[in-house]
Each structure stands twice: as C-alpha cells, then as structure tokens.
C-alpha cells in the first residue's frame, strides 16, 4: 500500500452534454468531458477550442468607457498632459506599458508613474497626485489600481484633475468619486465578462481609443493576464491564446530582448513560460527595486537599451531568488526551533525580512506544511510588522483576519491570500486566536490537499490523438487548469530512477498488454516504496515524449496510490542489515519474522520487533504495517494465519535467500524413498548406518537427505535404528508416506519453496494480494 499525498476529487459531467460536445466538435469524449466540467456547452465548445478576435466584446459595453474615451480624446486634441498611474506587479507593468504604447500611437502628451512598493505602498496616493498637479497633468488614468481610492479621487477632484480609474479588483461599497470608473465588477455594470485582468481592462480602453482591436498589443496583454492568475476562459482565453501565438514573433523590442535573455526566443511560448520565467522577472523589479525598470523594457525602442534592461531584470530576479531562498530557510528554522508547526495556522515573524518577497515565502511554507500561513517582517525601529498570508481550502484567511481586526491596524485580501500589518507585541495573540479558529472551522481531513481529477481512464484509452486533442485546451490557468488524469489500476513492470542525481522516478505501467511510460519529477525516493507488479493508480498529466523522431504518449505523475498490499521481492540480498536500512517505515511498525533455528542472523539487528514463526501467534500489534520475512515460513498455512492476525499489513518484504538449512539439494519423491528402502533391505553390509550413508553419498544423495529418509521410516515403524545399526521391522503396518508428520512437513515446505523461493516476483506478489482479497 502507498497512500496518495492528496485527496483525489473526481469531477463528473452530464453524459448527454459530453456526447453532444464530442459530436459537435469531432473530438474524443474524454476531451469533451473536460470541456463540460469547465462549464462549456456544445454552443461554446468550438469557440473555446478555436479562440479568435470575433469573440471579444464591444469595449463600450463597459460602464464609463465612453465618458473616459471622450475625455482622453479631448485632452489629446487640446494637448493636455495625461499621466498613466500604474502598479508595480506584472499586471500593473503590462497595463502601464500597453496604455503607454496606445497613447503614443495617438500622439498624446503623456507620461507614466509607478509608486514605490516600500515608500508609497499600494494604490493611488495623494502625494503622487499632488506632484502630478504641480507638473500640470490635467488627466490621470489609473491602470490595475484605484477602485478603492476614495481619498485620492476626492483630492483629484479638488485639484481639478480628471481622474479616470481602470481597474479589475473587487469594488468597495462606495465607489471613488472619479471622472470615470471602468471596472467590469462595478455594481450594475452589465459587461458580459467580469473577470478581466488589469491589463485586460486597459486593452479594452485601448480598443475603444483606437477604434479597433489593438492586435499589436495582445502579446503584452497576454503576459499580464496570465501573470495575474485570472480565469483563463472567455475574453481572457482569447487574449492569452492569441497573445502567446503572437509572442513568438513579437514586434516589441523590449519583449524580444527578454525572450532572448531567457532562452525563449524562437520557441513556442506557453502559459508556463509566462508564469514561471517572464512574470517573475517583471515582478522582481517591483519587489526589490522599482517597477520602472520593467516598464522601460516594455516601451523601449532601442535594441541595445532593451538588452541591458533585460539583463538587469534577470540580475534582479536572481537576487530576488537568493533572498527568497534565504528567508525561506530562516523561516523553516524558526518554525522548527519554536515548534510553530504545532499550530494549525503557522505565523512566523522576524526582523528585516524583505516585505516584497514574503508572500512567496508564505506560499513555500504552505506548500511544505499545507496549513494557513502568515509571514511577517518586523521593522526593528517601530516594531510594526507587515505580513503576507496564504491559506488552504476551507480556511478563508480574509474572514479569519476579520475576526481579529481589533489587533490589526490594516488588513485586506480574499479567501486564499491577504496582506496585513500588526504590532510585534500582538503576534503571539494573533497566532493563538487564528489557531483556535482553525480548530473550529477545520477537520483533520482539511489538512490534506485536494487534487481535482478531470478524467479517469485506462492505458488502452490513451493514444497520440487524445493527447494532441487535449493540447487544444491550452493555455492553462485559473478556471482552465491543466487536465488531471487518473489512470486506473495498472501494473508496474519497471521502476528506475533517472537524472544526474537520480532524483526523478520513471515507471513503466501496463494494462491489457499496452504499456505507457510515467515520469515523476523529484520523486526518486518513491522507488523504494513501490514494488514491482503492484497495481498502481497514477494521477497526472498526459504529454507527448519525443525521442529519435518518434512520438509517444506519456504521463507526468503528480501523485500515486497503491490501495493494496505490496510485496517487495528482495530475495537473495547480499546484506540483510543494508536492506533493512532501506525500509522507509518506522521501526516500531515493522515485525521481522524468522525461524528460531536460524535466529543467529538477527543478533546484530536492534530496535526492531522480532518474532519467530514458532511463536508468532503470541504477539499481534495493531500498529504493525510491515512484515519482513527474514526466513521463509514453515508452511503456507502458517503464512495465511499470520496475515489474518496482522490485518493492517500494508507491505511485505521478502528478504531471505537460498542458504536456508532446511533446503535439500534435491526433491524427495516416492521413488527415492523406494530406492533407499529396497537397497538397505537387500544389502546386509548397509545395515550399518555409517556405511549406508557413505554408499548413498556416492550416489549423489546427501547425508541430510539420507538421515531424513531414515527418520521418516522410523516414524512410520518400518525400521528401528539402534546405535549405528538399522533393523527392519519384520511385520510393519502398511502405511503411506503422507502418514508421516515429518514427510507432510516436508511436503508443506516444498510448497513454500516453490512459491517463496522459485516463483517470479509477479507470482509471489499475486499470491499475497489474492490472499488479502479473500
């Protein structure tokens, strides 16, 4: 048995809808099921599979758009100064860059401004607006920010600045009193799609300003859309999909330089490349320094300057990675030293941690412990701490912080993530109260991550056509996650580890004669936890493996489940002690089964429970999950009884070899007994036991076998051995060999030998598993 790391939550869809989608689009029903699970019906399935610009909505459906566009055009005609006010994350940077390029096309008189994360914080602030007024800006357009800027809007109005807010975040109960507010989530806004990113809203504004879809900017819009983790369906899917295609041949000098710097130039760019390569470099600029570097890169028109900026962002990102690694290591040590993992909510704090990266650290801690996590950086002078929170399903961190708002000067966020500030003296209270809340809200099961499964299938269902059709669902992200497939129970035929450090696990699994490769990155340690020929369930993602110009499907493993007893064939191991060290089970959950006659092998083995086959029924521990067979059992019936008593056994390790002294050099059949009996009876010289033994040794019959035959004859009353003489009973009772306890014991052990010694790994494993199922 090998339990999965996560709770597998199977998704279901209406079978009639699935069949209808499959027929309408001409696709595999497995792919159609994925579309149905994502809430897509047959009317919209083809649009999802083939996104195009025709699926974009009229930008003027957004409330406030016309008013905003008219004011901006008026400012351009009058040569009024326009300020783009952005944000320092990837969505804010791309929003700023996209609107910058739009206003430049329109020949506007404009500039841009990004607040500093460390000195100004998030959002529209009065000091920046005051500077804008002094510099003569008549219009300020916010991108990816501003929806909560009540004070900022009032200040702008007071100063005569036309404030146009474009944002996508959740609006407050009262909207800012701005000249125009564009946000699809505004109350009573009838825009058909509510989940645009900040750059998505900026893209709609550009569309309205230019009077056409700004296709030349869609690659920039795709970066912010993917980076901001908005749902990748409807308009977001169109922007992301078409933007990624365009990115390969982008006309933007800065983006081209970034692709060169990251080794992505000329490649097919995926959402993964954006999320894990491009966006981190943009975000790093705002996390450690100023997001202005990233904006300058995107708007650059000089190749040399763009190359230098791309290199700079790469260097900043490397610095960011180092800082994250150091803070993460420090946090893990603090958690261990202070035993903070005993709390249901982990709250870890330290002086001087970089507030720009502690959100990443919180995610790392959550990934390791799967508990709601808050990471706080304490200012050594003011003793005020700023923090980032990340949470698990079932624990709404924003709601949780609301219950302790009496000790929080500031907090905000949503169910999965939040930001907060708190005084150092209140941190312990915060930890205790959030822990108590978790005890009320959560069960033990809630601390096991959930993995949603889209489709279950068998190996025989998987072919290249299926994988190629699945690829049409890309790009993947929130709302359209990478399809998770469970391959139902198949047989493990090969287990290897690959990679320079043998850190990756590679399996071959088969079902009904068809085999598929399965690869698990950074799971090499699982090799010793999976037995050959186990029936395994794999959760993962299908992909295509190309090797020597040959393509074949493979599964990238994310989790595994072996729901039955596993048998590890370690027979004929060179070193018993070395093999025992390989066991990945607590010693107190292991029992070593041995034969008393051969028990000397166990003298050097300590800290493990050892039970002989002769007294196995005197001890039964419910904690026992593994049996190690140091020697073969005396009989199959004894083995059956042992497994009945140890009902919770998950693994059996067969670790014995051929050197068992109960093994005879040849099989003892009836003809052998007849040969020895007749020869002894007919030859007087062989009535001496030593002479007889020597005689039969020359015939290839060992002393052990000869003595065993004599013992059987004695037990049956055929002979009497006195001293060295063998006497035949003149009137023996007719008996079968099977009436001898010794011979029956021999036959039983022959059964044991055939199964436990001479069988294949597959045969041995199936015997135990079938026994478990009975």
């Amino acid at each position: 048995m090998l339990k999965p790391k996560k709770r597998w939550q199977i998704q279901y869809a209406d079978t009639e809808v699935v069949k209808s989608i499959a027929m309408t689009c001409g696709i595999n029903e497995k792919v159609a099921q994925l579309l149905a699970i994502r809430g897509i019906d047959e009317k919209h399935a083809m649009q999802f599979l083939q996104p195009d610009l025709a699926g974009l909505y009229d930008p003027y459906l957004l409330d406030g758009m016309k008013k905003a566009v008219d004011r901006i055009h008026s400012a351009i005609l009058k040569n009024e100064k326009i300020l783009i006010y952005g944000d320092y994350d990837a969505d804010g940077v791309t929003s700023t860059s996209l609107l910058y390029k739009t206003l430049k096309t329109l020949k506007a008189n404009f500039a841009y401004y990004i607040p500093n994360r460390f000195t100004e914080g998030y959002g529209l602030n009065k000091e920046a607006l005051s500077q804008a007024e002094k510099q003569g800006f008549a219009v300020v357009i916010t991108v990816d920010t501003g929806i909560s800027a009540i004070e900022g809007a009032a200040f702008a109005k007071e100063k005569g600045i036309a404030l146009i807010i474009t944002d996508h975040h959740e609006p407050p109960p009262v909207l800012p009193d701005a000249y125009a507010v564009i946000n699809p989530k505004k109350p009573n806004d009838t825009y058909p799609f509510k989940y645009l990113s900040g750059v998505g809203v900026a893209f709609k504004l550009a569309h309205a300003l230019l009077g056409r879809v700004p296709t030349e900017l869609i690659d920039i819009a795709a970066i912010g859309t993917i980076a901001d983790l908005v749902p990748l369906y409807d308009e977001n899917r169109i922007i992301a999909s078409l933007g990624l295609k365009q990115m390969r041949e982008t006309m933007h000098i800065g983006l081209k330089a970034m692709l060169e710097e990251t080794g992505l130039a000329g490649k097919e760019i995926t959402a993964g490349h954006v999320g894990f390569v491009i966006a981190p470099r943009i975000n790093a600029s705002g996390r450690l320094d100023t997001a202005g570097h990233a904006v300058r890169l995107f708007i650059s028109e000089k190749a040399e300057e763009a190359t230098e900026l791309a290199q700079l962002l790469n260097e900043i990102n490397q610095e960011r990675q180092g800082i994250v690694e150091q803070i993460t290591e420090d946090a893990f040590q603090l958690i261990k030293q202070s035993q903070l993992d005993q709390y249901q909510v982990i709250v870890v704090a330290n002086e001087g941690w970089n507030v720009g990266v502690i959100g990443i650290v919180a995610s790392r801690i959550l990934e390791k412990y799967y508990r709601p996590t808050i990471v706080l950086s304490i200012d050594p002078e003011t003793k005020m701490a700023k923090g980032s929170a990340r949470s698990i399903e079932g624990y709404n961190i924003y709601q949780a912080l609301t219950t302790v708002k009496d000790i929080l000067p500031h907090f905000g966020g949503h169910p999965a993530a939040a930001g907060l500030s708190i005084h150092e003296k209140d941190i312990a209270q915060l930890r205790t109260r959030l822990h108590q809340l978790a005890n009320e809200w959560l069960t033990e099961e809630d601390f096991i991550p959930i993995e949603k499964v889209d489709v279950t299938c068998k190996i025989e269902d998987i072919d290249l056509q299926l994988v190629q059709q699945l690829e049409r669902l890309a790009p993947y992200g929130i709302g359209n996650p990478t399809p998770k497939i469970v391959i139902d129970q198949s047989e493990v035929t090969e287990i290897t580890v690959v990679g320079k450090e043998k850190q990756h696990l590679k399996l071959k699994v088969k079902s009904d004669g068809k085999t598929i490769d399965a690869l698990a990155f950074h799971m090499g340690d699982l090799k010793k936890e999976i037995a050959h020929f186990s029936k395994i369930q794999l959760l993962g993602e299908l992909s295509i493996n190309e090797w020597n110009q040959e393509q074949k499907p493979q599964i990238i493993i994310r989790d595994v489940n072996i729901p039955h007893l596993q048998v590890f064939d370690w027979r004929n191991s060179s070193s018993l002690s070395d093999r025992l060290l390989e066991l990945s089970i607590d010693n107190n959950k292991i029992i070593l089964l041995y034969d008393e006659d051969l028990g000397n092998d166990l003298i050097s083995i300590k800290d493990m429970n050892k039970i002989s086959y002769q007294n196995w029924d005197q001890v039964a521990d419910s904690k026992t999950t593994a049996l190690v067979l140091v020697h073969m059992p005396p009989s199959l019936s004894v083995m059956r009884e042992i497994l009945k008593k140890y009902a919770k056994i998950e693994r059996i390790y067969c670790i014995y070899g051929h050197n068992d002294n109960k093994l005879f050099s040849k099989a003892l059949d009836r003809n052998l007994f007849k040969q020895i009996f007749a020869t002894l009876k007919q030859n007087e010289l062989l009535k001496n036991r030593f002479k007889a033994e020597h005689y039969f040794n020359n015939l290839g019959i060992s002393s052990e076998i000869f003595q065993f035959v004599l013992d059987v004859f004695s037990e049956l009353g055929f002979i009497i051995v006195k001293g060295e003489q063998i006497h035949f009973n003149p009137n023996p009772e007719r008996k079968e060999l099977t009436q001898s306890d010794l011979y029956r014991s021999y036959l039983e052990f022959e059964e044991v030998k055939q199964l436990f010694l001479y069988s294949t790994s597959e045969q041995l494993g199936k015997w135990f598993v079938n026994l478990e199922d009975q």
Side-chain angles (χ1 to χ4, degrees):
M1 183 175 290
L2 180 60
K3 296 177 182 177
K5 304 292 185 186
K6 299 181 179 180
R7 288 179 284 159
W8 298 4
Q9 194 175 84
I10 309 295
Q11 310 292 301
Y12 296 97
D14 187 294
T15 54
E16 292 304 315
V17 173
V18 170
K19 289 179 181 178
S20 179
I21 294 173
M23 187 174 296
T24 301
C25 300
I27 56 176
N28 189 298
E29 284 196 7
K30 302 290 185 186
V31 182
Q33 182 175 333
L34 284 159
L35 292 172
I37 287 169
R38 284 151 174 72
I40 299 163
D41 58 23
E42 60 271 26
K43 294 179 182 178
H44 301 93
M46 191 55 75
Q47 181 182 334
F48 187 91
L49 293 172
Q50 298 177 347
D52 59 39
L53 295 175
L56 294 175
Y57 303 115
D58 183 344
Y60 285 103
L61 293 176
L62 281 161
D63 182 58
M65 181 64 77
K66 186 177 187 310
K67 189 176 182 183
V69 170
D70 288 347
R71 182 65 183 89
I72 295 169
H73 277 311
S74 173
I76 294 171
L77 287 172
K78 295 177 182 177
N79 199 35
E80 291 179 308
K81 293 178 70 175
I82 301 171
L83 180 67
I84 305 168
Y85 191 105
D87 187 29
Y88 39 68
D89 66 359
D91 192 14
V93 165
T94 52
S95 300
T96 303
S97 303
L98 185 146
L99 194 54
Y100 180 101
K101 287 175 176 283
T102 302
L103 293 180
K104 185 168 185 180
T105 299
L106 294 169
K107 299 184 177 359
N109 180 5
F110 72 99
Y112 71 89
Y113 181 80
I114 306 275
N116 185 287
R117 177 194 295 264
F118 303 98
T119 59
E120 296 175 81
Y122 172 78
L124 187 67
N125 65 80
K126 290 194 295 185
E127 289 75 11
L129 286 171
S130 179
Q131 288 299 315
E133 183 215 2
K134 292 176 182 177
Q135 294 172 23
F137 286 97
V139 178
V140 172
I141 308 170
T142 71
V143 286
D144 190 37
T145 189
I147 196 63
S148 298
I150 304 295
E151 292 183 6
F155 182 80
K157 189 172 184 179
E158 178 188 328
K159 298 297 181 181
I161 297 173
L163 176 64
I164 297 171
I165 293 173
T166 74
D167 202 351
H168 71 117
H169 295 99
E170 292 292 338
V174 178
L175 294 177
D177 184 15
Y179 183 87
V181 177
I182 303 172
N183 185 331
K185 294 178 181 174
K186 268 171 50 177
N188 303 319
D189 193 305
T190 58
Y191 193 72
F193 185 58
K194 301 294 184 182
Y195 302 105
L196 289 168
S197 61
V199 74
V201 178
F203 186 76
K204 304 305 292 187
L205 177 60
H207 182 175
L209 285 169
L210 295 170
R212 61 176 175 81
V213 178
T215 52
E216 72 277 15
L217 301 174
I218 202 166
D219 43 7
I220 293 178
I223 293 173
T225 296
I226 294 168
D228 209 52
L229 303 179
V230 290
L232 289 187
Y233 54 78
D234 208 302
E235 280 196 304
N236 287 340
R237 176 170 175 79
I238 296 170
I239 292 170
S241 181
L242 301 184
L244 287 171
K245 289 179 182 177
Q246 183 168 293
M247 214 174 293
R248 185 172 182 176
E249 298 177 353
T250 183
M251 299 304 294
H252 302 291
I253 293 172
L255 180 53
K256 192 178 293 186
M258 176 173 278
L259 296 179
E260 289 282 356
E261 178 66 24
T262 56
L264 295 176
K267 294 183 179 179
E268 183 178 342
I269 310 300
T270 67
H273 290 135
V274 173
F276 297 104
V277 180
I278 297 173
R281 284 164 170 77
I282 300 171
N283 284 326
S285 178
R287 289 182 188 279
L288 299 191
D289 197 346
T290 169
H293 299 315
V295 175
R296 285 169 55 214
L297 171 67
F298 276 100
I299 65 176
S300 176
E301 296 182 350
K302 297 178 181 178
E304 186 177 345
E305 177 191 47
T307 299
E308 290 176 358
L309 286 166
Q311 291 172 349
L312 175 62
L313 290 187
N314 193 50
E315 291 168 4
I316 294 173
N317 188 54
Q318 289 175 346
E319 182 184 354
R320 188 271 306 169
Q321 289 173 329
I323 293 171
V324 169
E325 292 301 324
Q326 185 60 58
I327 295 176
T328 302
E329 185 180 337
D330 292 345
F332 283 151
Q333 288 181 357
L334 276 173
I335 291 168
K336 185 177 180 180
Q337 291 169 0
S338 303
Q339 297 183 322
L340 299 180
D341 55 338
Q342 293 183 357
Y343 292 86
Q344 305 285 43
V345 178
I346 294 176
V347 179
V348 59
N350 202 10
E351 287 190 356
W353 281 345
N354 187 302
V355 295
V357 302
I358 56 177
I360 301 173
V361 177
S363 296
R364 296 270 188 94
I365 296 171
L366 183 144
E367 185 179 341
K368 179 176 180 177
Y369 292 99
Y370 197 69
R371 296 184 194 178
T373 299
I374 296 176
V375 179
L376 295 159
S377 176
I378 304 169
D379 186 310
E381 294 181 4
T382 65
K383 299 301 178 182
M384 287 299 298
K386 289 184 179 180
S388 287
R390 299 291 183 271
S391 195
I392 65 176
E393 193 162 332
Y395 193 86
N396 184 323
I397 192 65
Y398 178 76
Q399 187 179 344
L401 292 177
T402 302
T403 68
V404 294
K405 61 183 180 181
D406 54 296
I407 58 172
L408 301 179
H410 171 77
F411 73 97
H414 51 82
L420 67 150
S421 61
I422 188 172
H423 195 279
E424 182 183 24
K425 65 180 176 58
D426 295 321
I427 293 174
Q429 184 185 165
L430 173 72
R431 183 182 294 119
T432 301
R433 289 170 65 177
L434 293 182
H435 168 79
Q436 291 170 345
L437 201 61
N439 283 334
E440 296 173 15
W441 287 359
L442 304 176
T443 65
E444 187 175 340
E445 190 179 55
D446 289 321
F447 291 97
I448 303 172
I450 293 174
E451 188 71 81
K452 292 184 178 179
V453 177
D454 297 293
V455 174
T456 60
C457 62
K458 298 179 181 178
I459 293 177
E460 48 267 37
D461 297 328
I462 300 170
D463 56 23
L464 276 176
Q465 185 182 47
L466 172 62
V467 183
Q468 288 165 348
Q469 288 188 12
L470 285 173
E471 289 178 344
R472 294 176 66 186
L473 273 65
Y476 301 118
I478 303 297
N480 182 37
T482 303
K484 294 295 188 298
I485 311 291
V486 163
I487 296 184
D488 217 354
Q489 292 194 22
S490 50
E491 192 172 76
V492 179
T493 60
E494 189 176 312
I495 310 170
T496 55
V497 286
V498 296
K500 290 183 179 180
E501 299 177 7
K502 304 297 181 185
Q503 71 272 41
H504 311 308
L505 179 73
K506 186 177 182 182
L507 304 177
K508 282 189 182 295
V509 293
K510 74 172 183 178
S511 175
D512 289 344
K514 186 173 181 179
T515 302
I516 190 171
D517 289 339
L519 188 62
F521 292 105
H522 305 291
M523 296 187 194
D525 288 345
L526 281 183
K527 182 177 185 293
K528 61 185 178 183
E529 299 198 44
I530 299 175
H532 280 85
F533 305 106
S534 292
K535 293 291 185 181
I536 194 170
Q537 291 177 311
L538 300 176
L539 186 154
E541 301 152 14
L542 292 178
S543 66
I544 295 175
N545 179 33
E546 292 192 39
W547 180 254
N548 288 337
Q549 298 183 330
E550 181 186 358
Q551 291 187 328
K552 58 181 181 179
Q554 68 177 359
I555 183 167
I556 305 301
I557 301 171
R558 301 302 180 197
D559 204 0
V560 300
N561 179 34
I562 301 177
H564 62 79
L565 174 70
Q566 285 197 93
V567 180
F568 292 81
D569 185 1
W570 291 357
R571 291 176 288 185
N572 300 309
S573 300
S574 57
S575 169
L576 174 63
S577 57
D578 287 349
R579 272 303 197 184
L580 292 176
L581 288 174
E582 292 183 39
L583 300 180
S584 57
I585 301 170
D586 294 341
N587 287 349
N588 63 353
K589 294 184 178 180
I590 301 174
I591 284 183
L592 273 59
L593 284 167
Y594 69 98
D595 191 314
E596 280 186 348
D597 297 338
L598 307 170
N600 289 336
D601 293 352
L602 305 177
I603 292 174
S604 62
I605 300 172
K606 299 177 181 179
D607 301 326
M608 288 188 182
N609 300 313
K610 301 184 258 314
I611 299 177
S612 72
Y613 287 113
Q614 286 72 22
N615 67 356
W616 67 267
D617 58 341
Q618 297 175 18
V619 180
D621 190 341
S622 61
K623 294 181 180 179
T624 302
T625 59
L627 294 178
V628 178
L629 310 189
V630 179
H631 302 122
M632 290 183 287
S635 67
L636 298 185
S637 59
V638 166
M639 196 71 249
R640 290 189 186 100
E641 292 301 316
I642 290 172
L643 287 181
K644 284 182 185 178
K645 192 146 189 176
Y646 294 97
K648 294 186 178 180
I649 292 298
E650 298 175 358
R651 301 182 186 187
I652 292 177
Y653 296 86
C654 296
I655 205 167
Y656 49 81
H658 282 75
N659 59 348
D660 195 318
N661 64 11
K662 286 190 176 184
L663 302 180
F664 292 133
S665 58
K666 62 190 298 183
L668 310 185
D669 57 19
R670 294 175 62 84
N671 291 330
L672 179 66
F673 280 86
K674 285 181 179 181
Q675 175 192 354
I676 293 176
F677 188 85
T679 303
L680 289 174
K681 194 167 187 180
Q682 294 169 7
N683 194 330
E684 287 295 325
L685 291 175
L686 298 183
K687 297 297 190 293
N688 180 281
R689 188 169 64 83
F690 286 121
K691 291 181 179 180
E693 182 179 334
H694 181 71
Y695 174 83
F696 286 112
N697 285 167
N698 290 331
L699 295 178
I701 298 171
S702 69
S703 300
E704 291 80 11
I705 292 176
F706 176 68
Q707 184 60 52
F708 179 77
V709 171
L710 290 186
D711 291 341
V712 170
F713 288 158
S714 296
E715 183 187 355
L716 293 173
F718 296 165
I719 65 172
I720 300 171
V721 179
K722 291 184 177 179
E724 304 307 324
Q725 294 301 308
I726 301 171
H727 303 279
F728 280 82
N729 188 339
N731 299 303
E733 182 182 344
R734 184 175 180 80
K735 294 181 180 179
E736 294 294 327
L737 283 174
T738 52
Q739 291 180 263
S740 162
D741 290 339
L742 281 173
Y743 187 69
R744 285 201 304 274
S745 176
Y746 162 76
L747 290 179
E748 286 183 338
F749 198 67
E750 276 298 299
E751 281 188 307
V752 171
K753 280 169 53 182
Q754 291 304 314
L755 175 64
F756 282 83
L757 202 56
Y758 302 128
S759 65
T760 64
S761 296
E762 185 175 8
Q763 291 168 336
L764 182 61
K766 284 183 176 179
W767 184 84
F768 278 106
V769 173
N770 291 337
L771 195 63
E772 183 190 36
D773 293 337
Q774 293 174 7

